[in-house]
Amino acid sequence: MNFKTLFYCFLLAITLLSFQTKPATYHSQENLFGKVKSITIFTYHATEKDGKLEKGDFANPYKETIKYNFKGNRISETEYASTGGIENRIIYKYNKRGKRIETIAFNNGVEFYERTTHKYDSKGNQVKENSYYPSGKLKIRIFYKFSVLDSLGGKGRPIILNFYEPEIRGNQIEASLYDEEGQFYRRFTYAYDAKGTLIEENTYDYDGSLYHRSLYTNDDKGNPVKVKAYKGDGTSDYSWNYRYEYDKKGNWIKKESYGDLIPSYITERKIKYY
């Protein structure tokens, strides 16, 4: 997952935990299995030949590396240009309970351009995040709401940073965005199946009108195999399909993405374990 698509990508599904367990890690939130140490991701444009997708040239960026600590939390993400140089880098900081408290983003790996703080309620649910410009001025604020319990007795989960559109995790049911002037901007609502996997996402504009709706069909591992999107007036916007190949741990190592949106993509992941 590269940094540009990180802010819009689909990182779906969680491993549901009870109130007695320790806080969920980002492994469980990203639908990763086993003690993952790092993931190196290569993304290619794809062309169709004889009904099959074949790798073409590299998409931009061509490579991304995500590193995790032994507890399963992301500690860094680095995006590389096709020339081999670093384009972007994100560093994550956690408290002693394993809750993400700060996210710092750099251009070219060194130029600081955004800082985000994460706040939690007494139950460990992230309820607010503030994103700031390098000057310290507030850029955007997001508030989150969670259902009290999901159907399997789980609790709310921390979420992975997305500066412009919140990513959903656990039994998060709503997120509201406010701009740097404190004005309400947009609201997101989410619905899940009995396993806690996302099946529906709705986006509402500042005036309360439906802006966009996405419906998800997932495989038995919790990864999306089809996304059907609709405009606010109910007309079809686009559909997107996914095919996967998995390793012995149950993590996908190849994903084909195709549908109404052009171009299609092939994504390969090299996963290292502790």
Side-chain angles (χ1 to χ4, degrees):
M1 296 173 197
N2 56 68
F3 279 62
K4 296 179 179 63
T5 57
L6 170 66
F7 298 137
Y8 307 98
C9 67
F10 301 104
L11 295 176
L12 301 174
I14 61 165
T15 300
L16 298 175
L17 303 175
S18 69
F19 282 115
Q20 288 71 38
T21 59
K22 61 184 179 180
T25 67
Y26 286 82
H27 273 187
S28 65
Q29 294 171 6
E30 297 174 28
N31 209 30
L32 294 175
F33 304 95
K35 289 287 186 179
V36 175
K37 184 176 184 179
S38 68
I39 302 177
T40 301
I41 303 166
F42 298 90
T43 303
Y44 306 83
H45 293 118
T47 57
E48 185 175 349
K49 183 178 181 180
D50 298 328
K52 297 182 179 181
L53 290 182
E54 295 186 350
K55 289 191 299 186
D57 57 340
F58 280 114
N60 186 39
Y62 92 105
K63 185 176 80 169
E64 182 191 6
T65 298
I66 304 172
K67 295 182 179 180
Y68 301 84
N69 60 23
F70 190 74
K71 295 181 179 180
N73 292 317
R74 288 191 184 203
I75 55 176
S76 69
E77 300 178 41
T78 306
E79 177 188 285
Y80 298 88
S82 58
T83 57
I86 295 177
E87 281 196 345
N88 293 289
R89 183 173 173 81
I90 294 180
I91 303 297
Y92 300 100
K93 296 182 179 181
Y94 300 86
N95 62 20
K96 293 180 180 180
R97 299 183 60 193
K99 296 291 186 181
R100 184 177 296 172
I101 56 174
E102 188 176 42
T103 303
I104 304 174
F106 301 86
N107 281 323
N108 302 318
V110 294
E111 181 184 353
F112 165 65
Y113 76 88
E114 202 155 45
R115 172 178 172 267
T116 296
T117 59
H118 310 265
K119 302 295 183 181
Y120 302 85
D121 63 17
S122 60
K123 295 181 179 179
N125 297 319
Q126 179 173 264
V127 293
K128 183 173 69 173
E129 67 182 43
N130 294 327
S131 180
Y132 300 91
Y133 291 103
S135 65
K137 181 181 179 181
L138 180 67
K139 184 174 185 180
I140 195 168
R141 176 170 289 161
I142 306 177
F143 293 93
Y144 300 94
K145 292 182 180 180
F146 293 81
S147 59
V148 177
L149 290 172
D150 60 40
S151 60
L152 297 183
K155 59 180 293 187
R157 307 290 194 263
I159 61 170
I160 296 175
L161 173 70
N162 184 312
F163 292 116
Y164 301 106
E165 179 179 342
E167 292 190 23
I168 67 312
R169 286 296 178 269
N171 57 323
Q172 177 185 315
I173 58 174
E174 184 176 313
S176 298
L177 277 66
Y178 294 79
D179 64 20
E180 59 193 58
E181 304 300 329
Q183 297 297 312
F184 173 72
Y185 171 64
R186 189 158 284 173
R187 182 169 67 94
F188 301 83
T189 62
Y190 313 96
Y192 307 86
D193 63 17
K195 296 180 179 179
T197 305
L198 180 73
I199 57 174
E200 182 176 339
E201 177 181 358
N202 296 302
T203 305
Y204 297 89
D205 226 330
Y206 66 93
D207 60 0
S209 61
L210 180 65
Y211 176 77
H212 199 260
R213 170 172 290 161
S214 297
L215 302 178
Y216 300 84
T217 302
N218 306 290
D219 63 15
D220 58 359
K221 291 181 173 61
N223 294 308
V225 294
K226 186 177 183 64
V227 179
K228 182 65 177 177
Y230 299 88
K231 299 177 182 178
D233 60 7
T235 59
S236 178
D237 190 5
Y238 62 85
S239 63
W240 203 242
N241 303 282
Y242 305 92
R243 287 193 295 256
Y244 302 92
E245 293 180 10
Y246 293 93
D247 66 10
K248 294 180 180 180
K249 299 283 188 179
N251 295 314
W252 67 264
I253 53 176
K254 181 180 180 181
K255 178 173 69 174
E256 297 181 348
S257 309
Y258 59 98
D260 298 336
L261 301 180
I262 301 298
S264 299
Y265 295 94
I266 292 176
T267 304
E268 295 178 340
R269 302 198 302 187
K270 294 182 179 180
I271 303 176
K272 293 182 178 180
Y273 297 89
Y274 281 100

